[in-house]
Amino acid sequence: DDQLPDLVIVGAGLFGLTVAQQAVEKTGARVVMLDVRDHIGGNAYSYFDKETGAEIHKYGAHLFHTSSEVVWKYVNRFTTFTNYVHRVYTTHNGEVFPLPINLGTVNQFFRASYTPAEAKALIDEQAGELAGKDPQNLNDKGISLIGRPLYEAFIKNYTAKQWQTDPTELPASIISRLPVRFNYDSRYFKDTWEGLPTDGYTAWFERMIDDPRIEVKLGVDFFDESQPWNKSALVGRVPVVYTGPIDRYFNYSHGELKWRTVDFVERRYDEGDHFGCPVMNFADSDVPYTRAIEFKNFNPERRAQQNPDKTVVWEEYSRFASREDEPYYPINTESDKSLYETYSELADQEPNVVFGGRLGTYKYYDMHQVIATALASFERTIEPMLAGKE
Ligand code: UDP
């Protein structure tokens, strides 16, 4: 068919962008990329705020980090990175503590001057109630990592606000993301490389697909049969990479996968710096939002281009997503996991359709993981599918 490209990609997030870039570079394919939104970049999209000069991450804070040399080399082809190192603070009981929980947090909390060995011994004793058990859920994992007092101060209420699911129902892996350290290292991520794209996320993404063989169609809904780039018109006729919600693809025929969504409330202050840091978490239940993001502070290297007298802050609220909401985080209870398996088996039977990304595989991925899976999926599945095309 002359009118069809060699590959259609549904979703212009990091999975789709990486596949588009690879398809053109490795096979010279003509690619059409669709997105229902009016911009590329998926949830990593950002824009510059006129009043303050802040780069606003429209779907919440995105911090790039990776320990994969392949991924780090790949992303550096399209952007340089600032020397930003992510550090977070949390407010608990009217006091500000460093996160992730480290020796500074422990000593401030217990008003002590424990050495690493002393702090470890104390935590071991406090975690003793679960001694010998392999923690299977977030509650048990939290207590066994840091003991009940610290768990209840910094994890329990925050997690309740963020997930609105009983912590004993949540997978332990959610907080395995957060390291616990018995030294004063307060870096949030333990990866080899981290930083923010020097000219912003959107400039990075535009460079990935800056090629005449890639056409991006924005505001196009793949499930809207009144426009030509829809599912029934394309699947089976052209290879498709689908990065939307997997349950949506199958018209929710076996039920809905559960997601958490995030709402933001914007505040503007007539001051240069409101929190003194980019991210302030609120550990207690009296503050209804989980955290506040002060975007200017992600990019101190841009001070000269920022307004010294104004700042913009987004308060982040978390709740269950309905079908109409933007899905952010898979909730991943046992019943969600088995429902996903059902959809995943259906997906395997779709002719020439590859599912990818956070939404397409119901996975709590960071940006670097999405890029890694896109590169792998391209090599393993998509490139062979395109073989034979010019
Ligand atoms: N968490 C917490 N207190 C905090 C920060 C994180 O209890 O102050 C827990 C919470 O359960 C959260 C998980 O750790 O879901 C992972 O946090 P992370 O900051 O990685 O979440 P993300 O930024 O991806 O939403």
Side-chain angles (χ1 to χ4, degrees):
D1 197 323
D2 306 332
Q3 264 138 325
L4 289 175
D6 302 311
L7 177 65
V8 171
I9 299 174
V10 184
L14 267 170
F15 193 95
L17 293 167
T18 303
V19 169
Q21 189 280 330
Q22 290 286 287
V24 165
E25 181 171 280
K26 299 266 171 71
T27 75
R30 289 171 306 127
V31 178
V32 167
M33 191 148 58
L34 316 172
D35 203 291
V36 68
R37 290 176 173 165
D38 63 1
H39 61 74
I40 63 166
N43 280 9
Y45 167 80
S46 72
Y47 61 91
F48 284 87
D49 176 60
K50 288 217 172 61
E51 186 188 46
T52 61
E55 179 182 348
I56 295 189
H57 304 183
K58 184 170 181 190
Y59 305 92
H62 279 70
L63 300 319
F64 191 80
H65 56 96
T66 186
S67 292
S68 156
E69 193 170 355
V70 170
V71 170
W72 183 241
K73 282 194 173 147
Y74 180 71
V75 298
N76 274 274
R77 292 178 53 192
F78 311 105
T79 182
T80 53
F81 286 84
T82 68
N83 57 14
Y84 178 77
V85 173
H86 194 42
R87 290 195 162 83
V88 174
Y89 292 87
T90 185
T91 301
H92 165 63
N93 247 339
E95 252 185 86
V96 175
F97 296 83
L99 267 194
I101 292 169
N102 63 72
L103 197 49
T105 321
V106 173
N107 276 329
Q108 187 181 343
F109 185 77
F110 292 110
R111 299 252 179 279
S113 52
Y114 296 130
T115 63
E118 288 166 346
K120 237 180 253 165
L122 174 79
I123 300 301
D124 280 350
E125 183 195 318
Q126 293 183 339
E129 57 182 289
L130 290 174
K133 278 207 211 160
D134 182 22
Q136 295 297 323
N137 61 62
L138 194 152
N139 180 74
D140 293 0
K141 179 80 185 179
I143 292 172
S144 71
L145 278 175
I146 52 172
R148 191 177 283 277
L150 289 161
Y151 171 77
E152 290 188 343
F154 297 112
I155 306 292
K156 192 180 158 189
N157 296 316
Y158 186 95
T159 300
K161 285 194 279 186
Q162 183 157 2
W163 294 92
Q164 290 135 349
T165 299
D166 191 316
T168 60
E169 288 271 307
L170 290 168
S173 58
I174 289 178
I175 54 163
S176 311
R177 292 165 56 84
L178 266 191
V180 174
R181 299 203 189 93
F182 292 96
N183 58 34
Y184 291 97
D185 178 4
S186 63
R187 282 181 59 171
Y188 206 73
F189 303 119
K190 45 196 165 194
D191 280 319
T192 313
W193 297 283
E194 75 175 286
L196 295 171
T198 309
D199 346 286
Y201 279 100
T202 303
W204 162 16
F205 301 151
E206 280 166 354
R207 275 180 227 124
M208 289 178 79
I209 54 166
D210 181 18
D211 189 291
R213 288 164 288 188
I214 302 175
E215 186 186 347
V216 181
K217 294 178 184 290
L218 297 174
V220 172
D221 180 356
F222 183 60
F223 299 100
D224 174 3
E225 308 252 314
S226 73
Q227 59 81 28
W229 297 91
N230 71 68
K231 184 184 164 194
S232 9
L234 297 168
V235 170
R237 297 205 175 91
V238 57
V240 171
V241 170
Y242 174 81
T243 68
I246 187 168
D247 53 354
R248 173 73 189 91
Y249 183 95
F250 295 105
N251 204 22
Y252 307 107
S253 57
H254 290 71
E256 284 179 52
L257 289 165
K258 290 204 257 56
W259 294 87
R260 188 172 67 81
T261 193
V262 179
D263 299 316
F264 296 100
V265 171
E266 182 173 290
R267 308 251 179 235
R268 289 182 182 267
Y269 295 98
D270 292 324
E271 52 186 332
D273 193 357
H274 187 68
F275 284 113
C277 59
V279 178
M280 178 63 79
N281 285 11
F282 291 88
D284 301 337
S285 44
D286 58 336
V287 175
Y289 42 92
T290 50
R291 56 189 166 191
I293 309 167
E294 187 166 7
F295 292 103
K296 268 173 87 177
N297 290 337
F298 282 131
N299 301 99
E301 79 287 352
R302 293 183 193 144
R303 283 290 182 248
Q305 296 100 265
Q306 294 173 340
N307 187 334
D309 305 315
K310 306 249 184 208
T311 192
V312 57
V313 167
W314 279 20
E315 296 165 355
E316 183 171 328
Y317 293 78
S318 182
R319 60 176 171 82
F320 279 116
S322 70
R323 261 186 215 185
E324 289 70 41
D325 296 314
E326 301 290 355
Y328 275 69
Y329 296 103
I331 292 179
N332 249 329
T333 59
E334 289 306 318
S335 71
D336 287 317
K337 279 187 216 162
S338 76
L339 182 56
Y340 170 69
E341 284 312 316
T342 305
Y343 282 125
S344 172
E345 281 161 26
L346 288 174
D348 289 341
Q349 291 156 31
E350 282 293 290
N352 274 354
V353 182
V354 174
F355 290 70
R358 227 187 230 219
L359 304 177
T361 59
Y362 196 62
K363 297 265 173 356
Y364 188 177
Y365 279 146
D366 291 333
M367 291 180 283
H368 66 288
Q369 295 167 315
V370 173
I371 294 166
T373 57
L375 291 171
S377 172
F378 181 80
E379 212 175 299
R380 214 182 311 114
T381 320
I382 302 165
E383 187 167 13
M385 233 163 59
L386 296 173
K389 301 274 156 124
E390 290 266 271

